[in-house]
Amino acid sequence: MSVTSVFPQLERLLPRISKPIQYVGGELGAVIKDWDSVTVRWALSYPDAYEVGLPNQGVQILYEVLNEQPDVLAERTYAVWPDLEALMRAEGVPQFTVEAHRPVTAFDLFGISFATELGYTNMLTMLDLAGIPLESRDRDDRHPIVVAGGHAAFNPEPIADFIDAAVLGDGEEAVLEITAIVREWKGEGSPGGRDELLLRLARTESVYVPRFYDVDYLPDGRIQRVVPNRADVPFRVHKRTTMDLDAWPYPKRPLVPLAETVHERYAVEIFRGCTRGCRFCQAGMITRPVRERSITTVGQMVKEGLEFSGFHEVGLLSLSSADHSEIGDMCSGLAQQYEGTNVSLSLPSTRVDAFNVTLAQELARNGRRTGLTFAPEGGSERIRKVINKMVTEEDLIRTVVTAYSNGWRAVKLYFMCGLPTETDEDVLQIAKLAHEVIRAGREATGSRDIRCTVSIGGFVPKPHTPFQWAKMETPEVIDHRLRALKNAINSDRNLGKAIGYRYHDGQPSLIEGLLSRGDRRVGAVIRRVWEQGGRFDGWSEHFSYQRWVDAASAVLPGYGVDLDWFTVRERDQNEVLPWDHLDSGLDKDWLWQDWQDSVTGFEQDDCRWTPCFDCGVCPSQDTEIQIGPTGKKLLPLTPVGSGLRVPQTVHQHG
Amino acid sequence: MAKRQPEGGQDPVVQRIRLRYAKRGPMRFTSHRDFARAFERALLRANVPIAYSQGFTPHPKVSYASAAPTGVASEAEYLEIGLRAVVDPDDLRAALDAALSPGLDVIEAVQSPLNGGGSLADRIDASAWHLELPGITPASAEAAVRAFLAAGEVLVERLTKQGKRVFDTRAAVVRLELLEASSALGDVPSGVAEAPCAILDLVVRQGTPTVRPDDVLSGLRVVADLEPPVPPRATRLAQGVLTAQGEFVDPLAADRPAAVVGASSLV
């Protein structure tokens, strides 16, 4: 049965809304295949506005991996803004994909990548506009299998009622395996319907199907146990790890939008994983071990990615890019290749280290200097030991002064507020640090024309980290500390005027905390917030703290718990955590020990350079650290000359 | 202390080329800024030896003539680029056309003198538009057109960046005529295929503020309560200098080699 485009209906709405181009498609790299020529069809989504969702690397990679399969098609869909949502409801236009404007409900699978929990309400809007029942149990064979992925899928319990399945970890191989199961099941004539298909997925032990697990609670509200309710369904579901990134050089044909988006660049992941061991960092914990992409693959990807996309900027991404074993050669090689081309190269600098300045200096060779950002995260040396961010005050000042001396006139410094054991004094130390940075910078450069921006956000404890047991601070305490810090920065007017101050107040963090460490009971809160109009919770102009508080107080007391119980309550060692049946590879005893070590300020080294400290990931997942150096160098590119290039046809049709 | 001047300079402009391009179908929803970004990327994709401005943040040498509003299709948009190496204009047209998304189509490229010869803007003082009004009968459209042309002044209101602005639309309109239904361009939006669809031919002289097709439609609403049930579709067909006879002088005509190449036109 073929499926028709909803574009004619949509087109009549586009002149009446803002930024219509975001709903039109037409990106370079987009693929439109004949619906009837394929067996398995995926709709992929990043549940935010197009301008945020399009650049998402995860979706772009899976999009390309899936579309390379001859009998598979993948299209993309994003959250529509409220102006279009209202018109779609009024005119009966369903949630659509941007390539061929096909209705999402016609696809076999609807994959949603959650980088943040604040996208949950947008997922409900998409499901509802698609005509897919909000809850998994109300769906039947006519509806797509809704699959969640991304970092938030490491605790999908708050959305367990709304999704059919979740995949933990890297998606490249997982989407192909899911596709193979769906292909085979359809080939057999879809025996046993939806239930049988979900059962087959669950039996792989790497796809979590929430409906096959029952959660029992203790009288005090804590979880008693989570157990499978079907035969052959595993007690624990394991995360996926893609080994050998050189074998997966995606994106090769990045999506290049016509609409303006938040990142307009070709991004290459130079490695995945991080073992720096920052205790607040969920990304660093759940993506272990470190797997580097080799310098030659990176060079090849940059060359082809730029030629294909026409982007003028390249981002060398990872959780801590300066840690790549060949980052020096990579930066100087790329800088040499693109010297004089007006292509700019950038490194998200988060490590506080003068080496980062050297690298940025190298990348700025052709005159395009990108911003420098350092993330000491904690204001005092004591709190930095608690979070395992091994940076001394001297390190930080020396690094920033090096940046000023090398021509940067402004740097950004990132911090967190509300960390475990934190006191007002720890936060006030940030002001002292910033003053010292400006003072030393002025002295070293002889100029008053230098600035720094202090950016600070609320700490949110995340599952699968040593801080998963920690209590959050209340928004009142956070906001008090943020105000005190502002006053402290401005207490010295002379230095304070060279310091910019940006902060995120405590309320959104508390809700993020509820969603991060919530269990299935939180699903009712999400649904109620959405019913009361909650949309785009990651956007401060759309987020309503009151709406979340009201929904939590309407729903949670029925279960004998409340918002505070999920957020500002510290958990003890024996508590069954909602995500304990989801295996990130990290040994829970190791996490607990690291949590204990943090309180005493014991620092944990990086296993890339010191012996293994038994976090548990490699043996349990059968993975290993993959790092260089390979000893190879980037060869100079053949001079392009002045010949015009007629690019290949931009749209692939299957 | 930091070097406050960029090292070296950019290569000089050795060739100037003017392009005519179209925004078609769904690509009419690109804003001018969207097109400009896509065009800069197309220059890189096609390996065009574009020249850059001097300074800390060099910009590619691209200048645009009056761009059609977002949501309006066009067969006649113009821009000029400066190159640091000489290329064949026809090869350039083909390479850039391939480098842009389908629907953003480069129609013609001609070399223009490096110095003198006047700017593109000097060669454009009027614009021809084709307006399709699905759901409007030719008879009611004709009555509205008559009322509009009979009026000495038709004031309309538009929200601009400077706030609400009231201005006359009548004076700028050189021609406004009802065309035969058979002159529709491409597909009529589906769902209205059976419905009537009035088609208007509109010529507007440039001024301040520029009177756009939607302003003229507002004018028709003011004079005759003409209210299309679905959004009308507008397409710009030509820009240029309007002669006393009401003919358009193509802005590229003066630069075009004697033997006309590659020009295709709907006008």
Side-chain angles (χ1 to χ4, degrees):
Chain A
M1 185 190 69
S2 207
V3 161
T4 50
S5 164
V6 303
F7 192 71
Q9 295 92 290
L10 177 68
E11 191 177 21
R12 294 162 58 171
L13 311 182
L14 294 181
R16 300 160 62 185
I17 57 161
S18 70
K19 298 189 204 160
I21 187 64
Q22 65 186 309
Y23 305 113
V24 161
E27 305 94 344
L28 302 175
V31 179
I32 298 176
K33 292 189 179 183
D34 178 26
W35 185 261
D36 297 314
S37 72
V38 301
T39 318
V40 181
R41 305 173 184 100
W42 283 82
L44 300 175
S45 183
Y46 184 86
D48 204 326
Y50 181 87
E51 65 198 74
V52 176
L54 182 115
N56 181 263
Q57 284 277 297
V59 171
Q60 291 208 15
I61 290 168
L62 301 185
Y63 181 72
E64 210 173 344
V65 165
L66 287 167
N67 276 318
E68 282 183 358
Q69 300 289 310
D71 69 336
V72 179
L73 74 74
E75 299 189 7
R76 291 160 295 121
T77 186
Y78 303 95
V80 300
W81 286 112
D83 61 347
L84 182 58
E85 183 192 341
L87 289 175
M88 286 167 70
R89 290 187 186 283
E91 304 286 328
V93 177
Q95 180 79 23
F96 55 86
T97 58
V98 292
E99 292 84 352
H101 298 92
R102 287 162 174 151
V104 167
T105 192
F107 289 74
D108 298 307
L109 296 129
F110 182 18
I112 309 174
S113 177
F114 291 101
T116 154
E117 297 83 2
L118 295 174
Y120 289 161
T121 48
N122 282 353
M123 168 184 63
L124 296 185
T125 309
M126 290 195 293
L127 290 171
D128 190 51
L129 282 175
I132 301 170
L134 293 187
E135 303 210 354
S136 169
R137 61 162 174 252
D138 298 325
R139 295 175 198 148
D140 59 36
D141 293 355
R142 294 168 302 169
H143 302 116
I145 301 288
V146 179
V147 188
H151 289 181
F154 276 80
N155 176 26
E157 290 300 87
I159 51 169
D161 291 342
F162 313 124
I163 59 173
D164 298 305
V167 175
L168 284 65
D170 298 332
E172 288 96 337
E173 291 159 292
V175 288
L176 293 179
E177 285 172 23
I178 292 172
T179 299
I181 290 169
V182 174
R183 180 192 288 126
E184 189 179 305
W185 173 77
K186 286 179 85 168
E188 292 168 17
S190 311
R194 191 178 189 85
D195 191 73
E196 166 70 16
L197 177 57
L198 289 171
L199 205 50
R200 290 187 189 188
L201 292 170
R203 284 177 184 150
T204 63
E205 304 194 4
S206 64
V207 177
Y208 174 52
V209 179
R211 67 164 69 174
F212 296 149
Y213 295 80
D214 290 332
V215 182
D216 297 325
Y217 299 92
L218 296 164
D220 65 5
R222 290 180 303 157
I223 294 173
Q224 182 180 26
R225 63 178 168 219
V226 180
V227 282
N229 54 28
R230 297 282 277 262
D232 300 345
V233 171
F235 274 84
R236 298 192 81 198
V237 180
H238 308 294
K239 80 158 177 181
R240 302 301 311 256
T241 309
T242 299
M243 299 303 290
D244 190 6
L245 294 196
D246 285 347
W248 299 89
Y250 299 91
K252 298 175 194 163
R253 299 163 57 89
L255 290 160
V256 186
L258 289 155
E260 190 166 9
T261 58
V262 293
H263 295 301
E264 306 261 324
R265 65 180 180 203
Y266 179 59
V268 192
E269 211 180 351
I270 62 172
F271 64 88
R272 204 173 283 179
C274 181
T275 37
R276 285 263 159 191
C278 302
R279 293 179 170 122
F280 55 85
C281 179
Q282 187 190 37
M285 292 289 163
I286 62 178
T287 61
R288 297 173 173 205
V290 170
R291 290 144 288 150
E292 288 187 356
R293 191 163 263 153
S294 70
I295 180 171
T296 41
T297 304
V298 170
Q300 188 72 16
M301 287 176 70
V302 169
K303 175 178 176 289
E304 290 172 8
L306 286 181
E307 275 174 18
F308 176 78
S309 65
F311 280 129
H312 291 72
E313 191 186 332
V314 177
L316 302 175
L317 307 190
S318 73
L319 292 171
S320 178
S321 291
D323 287 349
H324 191 287
S325 64
E326 293 175 292
I327 190 67
D329 285 343
M330 194 184 291
C331 290
S332 56
L334 288 171
Q336 193 184 347
Q337 293 188 343
Y338 292 98
E339 195 161 3
T341 61
N342 292 301
V343 164
S344 71
L345 303 158
S346 70
L347 207 56
S349 345
T350 51
R351 217 175 90 191
V352 184
D353 189 326
F355 179 53
N356 246 322
V357 181
T358 312
L359 295 174
Q361 185 76 3
E362 189 64 33
L363 294 179
R365 234 156 66 166
N366 65 2
R368 299 224 162 175
R369 200 172 281 251
T370 52
L372 267 181
T373 301
F374 299 104
E377 311 284 5
S380 70
E381 207 138 326
R382 188 195 73 78
I383 201 83
R384 287 195 295 273
K385 283 186 173 152
V386 168
I387 62 178
N388 205 41
K389 191 92 191 184
M390 291 182 261
V391 181
T392 64
E393 185 168 334
E394 299 82 74
D395 284 341
L396 177 72
I397 290 166
R398 190 171 50 244
T399 305
V400 179
V401 168
T402 308
Y404 291 139
S405 305
N406 281 288
W408 272 270
R409 274 176 278 171
V411 297
K412 277 189 209 155
L413 301 174
Y414 276 12
F415 295 93
M416 276 187 290
C417 183
L419 291 160
T421 77
E422 180 185 282
T423 63
D424 290 6
E425 192 45 41
D426 291 312
V427 177
L428 293 176
Q429 285 284 315
I430 296 171
K432 192 170 153 278
L433 209 54
H435 287 161
E436 202 46 53
V437 156
I438 295 298
R439 197 177 291 129
R442 285 178 179 172
E443 197 179 300
T445 61
S447 163
R448 294 178 63 83
D449 187 18
I450 53 160
R451 291 185 58 75
C452 82
T453 300
V454 168
S455 199
I456 182 163
F459 162 68
V460 179
K462 296 277 181 172
H464 306 280
T465 69
F467 290 162
Q468 63 184 355
W469 292 278
K471 72 182 183 79
M472 291 186 79
E473 281 298 352
T474 62
E476 293 72 30
V477 169
I478 300 284
D479 293 347
H480 157 74
R481 286 182 186 157
L482 294 177
R483 268 195 309 275
L485 172 57
K486 185 179 185 181
N487 293 337
I489 288 173
N490 294 327
S491 66
D492 184 321
R493 286 198 55 207
N494 177 26
L495 296 169
K497 67 185 176 196
I499 301 168
Y501 182 53
R502 290 190 188 160
Y503 64 94
H504 301 287
D505 56 28
Q507 293 180 342
S509 301
L510 193 81
I511 300 308
E512 207 185 323
L514 167 73
L515 298 173
S516 291
R517 292 192 296 173
D519 55 37
R520 293 188 180 186
R521 296 169 292 193
V522 172
V525 182
I526 298 168
R527 179 159 185 166
R528 188 174 173 91
V529 164
W530 177 77
E531 285 166 351
Q532 302 290 321
R535 304 286 187 277
F536 291 94
D537 284 303
W539 296 69
S540 54
E541 62 269 47
H542 290 275
F543 176 81
S544 161
Y545 180 63
Q546 200 54 50
R547 189 153 50 207
W548 281 97
V549 169
D550 291 347
S553 16
V555 166
L556 294 178
Y559 300 111
V561 290
D562 60 17
L563 181 55
D564 283 354
W565 190 87
F566 282 104
T567 54
V568 301
R569 178 179 67 94
E570 183 167 331
R571 283 70 160 164
D572 70 27
Q573 189 177 5
N574 299 322
E575 178 163 343
V576 176
L577 302 173
W579 51 90
D580 276 351
H581 57 300
L582 301 173
D583 182 14
S584 60
L586 295 157
D587 179 29
K588 198 176 176 186
D589 291 338
W590 177 81
L591 282 173
W592 178 263
Q593 188 54 48
D594 205 43
W595 166 225
Q596 300 308 302
D597 285 348
S598 82
V599 183
T600 57
F602 178 84
E603 294 174 312
Q604 176 63 63
D605 270 322
D606 189 315
C607 62
R608 275 171 292 183
W609 307 298
T610 60
C612 170
F613 46 77
D614 291 326
C615 75
V617 173
C618 288
S620 75
Q621 310 293 307
D622 193 22
T623 54
E624 59 183 3
I625 302 172
Q626 291 181 331
I627 54 173
T630 61
K632 294 188 178 141
K633 302 268 187 240
L634 283 181
L635 299 173
L637 292 176
T638 340
V640 253
S642 57
L644 293 170
R645 183 166 56 217
V646 179
Q648 53 194 309
T649 313
V650 288
H651 287 265
Q652 290 177 342
H653 292 266
Chain B
M1 190 50 215
K3 291 189 292 277
R4 291 294 160 92
Q5 283 300 318
E7 288 172 54
Q10 299 285 345
D11 294 335
V13 173
V14 299
Q15 187 185 28
R16 212 175 279 286
I17 290 187
R18 290 174 178 173
L19 301 175
R20 175 181 169 198
Y21 64 97
K23 273 172 37 173
R24 294 171 171 154
M27 289 299 114
R28 72 182 187 277
F29 294 108
T30 49
S31 68
H32 175 57
R33 279 163 51 85
D34 297 334
F35 178 82
R37 277 194 315 276
F39 187 74
E40 282 190 29
R41 291 182 196 130
L43 291 169
L44 200 67
R45 297 188 80 215
N47 201 28
V48 174
I50 189 77
Y52 284 83
S53 63
Q54 308 287 337
F56 278 107
T57 46
H59 289 290
K61 294 265 193 187
V62 183
S63 50
Y64 296 89
S66 66
T70 308
V72 172
S74 177
E75 291 294 325
E77 300 294 288
Y78 294 91
L79 62 79
E80 179 181 289
I81 57 178
L83 302 179
R84 57 185 158 73
V86 174
V87 301
D88 176 75
D90 291 337
D91 292 348
L92 177 80
R93 189 210 65 77
L96 279 174
D97 187 47
L100 284 162
S101 289
L104 297 176
D105 300 328
V106 182
I107 298 170
E108 189 182 1
V110 299
Q111 183 172 322
S112 70
L114 267 185
N115 299 299
S119 69
L120 260 180
D122 294 340
R123 297 190 192 172
I124 294 174
D125 70 3
S127 191
W129 303 92
H130 177 95
L131 305 179
E132 293 177 6
L133 283 50
I136 296 285
T137 61
S140 57
E142 181 138 45
V145 166
R146 259 203 307 277
F148 183 91
L149 292 176
E153 187 184 63
V154 180
L155 293 178
V156 303
E157 196 177 82
R158 193 211 301 164
L159 205 57
T160 69
K161 283 186 190 104
Q162 288 78 38
K164 266 188 188 159
R165 198 163 167 180
V166 177
F167 55 94
D168 174 39
T169 52
R170 175 62 191 89
V173 172
V174 179
R175 189 166 81 212
L176 181 59
E177 287 173 14
L178 184 73
L179 297 181
E180 294 297 314
S182 58
S183 35
L185 295 173
D187 315 329
V188 172
S190 66
V192 289
E194 314 306 318
C197 178
I199 298 171
L200 300 178
D201 171 33
L202 169 69
V203 174
V204 180
R205 201 178 286 283
Q206 277 189 359
T208 311
T210 299
V211 173
R212 309 187 311 202
D214 52 320
D215 299 323
V216 174
L217 291 170
S218 302
L220 294 176
R221 184 168 63 236
V222 169
V223 295
D225 285 330
L226 193 75
E227 193 84 61
V230 289
R233 293 211 295 191
T235 305
R236 173 186 262 161
L237 295 183
Q239 295 193 78
V241 172
L242 207 56
T243 65
Q245 290 72 41
E247 306 271 300
F248 276 88
V249 177
D250 177 346
L252 302 187
D255 300 321
R256 200 174 283 144
V260 176
V261 251
S264 70
S265 171
L266 272 160
V267 190

